């Protein structure tokens, strides 16, 4: 049984690593696209300025600025590690036509390690993306993160399919064979740091929130 459990954990971790690599590749492709488009933007602006169409050039710059601001606000939370995991998961959600809104601002240095923070948020977002796949109608994820004194507060609402039932205190995953291992991993990290967490499943929606000590 121990060998079987170890094999299942190894397969799970390998799958997680492969998904993370694909997410990073997706971001890399998107960044290459920005670089490619930037050259064309410069050429268009150069042509407009040389033709004396300064008003048109200024309008073009304002449009580009709005687009960049929309991208920028999704990626800067104040914590570099959180920015990295959010960037990867948001790219994955975007590729699956899931609308994501994020309101987050936390310090760069926390008592929770960067690895733990990445695992914690990554697993919760992975669960949300999975739930969205089974949702009918609009698919969305809404995230809010802030500091309440020395405590890190996180809440997430996402679309989902049918209401899930709890098993051993946690909701089971629809993934074959793992039964919510991602949520259990996140719960273990929160318990280690003396945190509080709550998950709730309703018809068409899933909510998750936690509060955990994060500053000395």
């Amino acid at each position: 049984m121990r060998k079987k459990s170890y094999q299942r954990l190894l397969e799970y971790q390998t799958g997680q690593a492969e998904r993370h690599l694909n997410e990073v590749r997706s971001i890399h492709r998107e960044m290459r696209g920005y670089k490619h488009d930037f050259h064309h933007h410069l050429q268009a602006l150069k042509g407009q300025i040389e033709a004396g169409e300064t008003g048109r050039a200024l309008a073009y710059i304002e449009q580009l600025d709005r687009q960049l601001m929309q991208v920028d606000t999704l990626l800067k939370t104040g914590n570099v590690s959180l920015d990295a995991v959010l960037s990867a998961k948001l790219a994955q959600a975007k590729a699956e036509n899931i609308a994501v809104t994020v309101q987050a601002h936390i310090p760069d240095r926390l008592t929770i390690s960067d690895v733990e923070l990445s695992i914690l948020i990554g697993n919760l977002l992975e669960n949300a993306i999975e739930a969205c796949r089974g949702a009918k109608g609009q698919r969305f994820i809404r995230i809010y993160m802030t500091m309440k004194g020395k405590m890190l507060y996180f809440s997430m609402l996402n679309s989902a399919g049918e209401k899930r039932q709890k098993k051993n205190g946690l909701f089971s995953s629809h993934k074959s064979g793992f039964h919510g291992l991602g949520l259990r991993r996140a719960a273990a990290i929160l318990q280690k740091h003396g945190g509080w967490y709550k998950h709730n499943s309703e018809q068409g929606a899933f909510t998750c929130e936690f509060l955990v000590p994060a500053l000395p």
Side-chain angles (χ1 to χ4, degrees), residues 17-182:
E18 289 175 351
R19 280 192 292 274
H20 180 68
L21 180 59
N22 288 332
E23 290 160 4
V24 171
R25 285 173 176 166
S26 176
I27 294 172
H28 180 65
R29 285 194 298 269
E30 191 169 357
M31 291 301 102
R32 288 181 62 188
Y34 286 146
K35 182 179 179 181
H36 181 266
D37 291 344
F38 186 66
H39 173 74
H40 293 299
H41 293 321
L42 289 178
Q43 292 298 315
L45 285 169
K46 181 180 178 182
Q48 290 168 355
I49 292 171
E50 288 177 345
E53 299 182 1
T54 55
R56 187 176 178 182
L58 287 172
Y60 194 100
I61 292 171
E62 288 178 0
Q63 183 180 358
L64 288 177
D65 186 54
R66 285 195 298 270
Q67 291 177 356
L68 288 173
M69 286 297 292
Q70 290 173 358
V71 173
D72 213 28
T73 53
L74 289 176
L75 303 179
K76 289 188 178 180
T77 66
N79 184 286
V80 174
S81 296
L82 180 60
D83 291 346
V85 70
L86 282 177
S87 296
K89 293 303 179 185
L90 294 185
Q92 180 184 348
K94 181 180 178 181
E96 299 190 35
N97 296 317
I98 299 171
V100 182
T101 56
V102 180
Q103 184 179 351
H105 183 72
I106 64 173
D108 190 41
R109 301 292 182 182
L110 300 171
T111 52
I112 296 177
S113 72
D114 290 343
V115 172
E116 288 175 321
L117 183 64
S118 296
I119 293 173
L120 175 60
I121 302 302
N123 277 318
L124 293 178
L125 278 170
E126 184 71 27
N127 184 76
I129 291 171
E130 179 200 346
C132 284
R133 294 186 184 119
K136 297 179 180 179
Q138 184 183 10
R139 302 196 296 176
F140 64 86
I141 300 174
R142 297 168 188 161
I143 300 168
Y144 176 72
M145 292 184 72
T146 189
M147 297 301 300
K148 293 182 179 291
K150 294 184 177 182
M151 307 286 281
L152 172 62
Y153 176 74
F154 170 95
S155 70
M156 180 170 66
L157 168 67
N158 58 267
S159 55
E162 296 181 357
K163 181 178 180 178
R164 297 190 196 180
Q165 299 300 318
K166 280 188 177 181
K167 183 178 181 180
N168 298 325
L170 289 174
F171 293 101
S172 296
S173 166
H174 294 305
K175 295 176 184 176
S176 177
F178 295 108
H179 306 297
L181 183 57

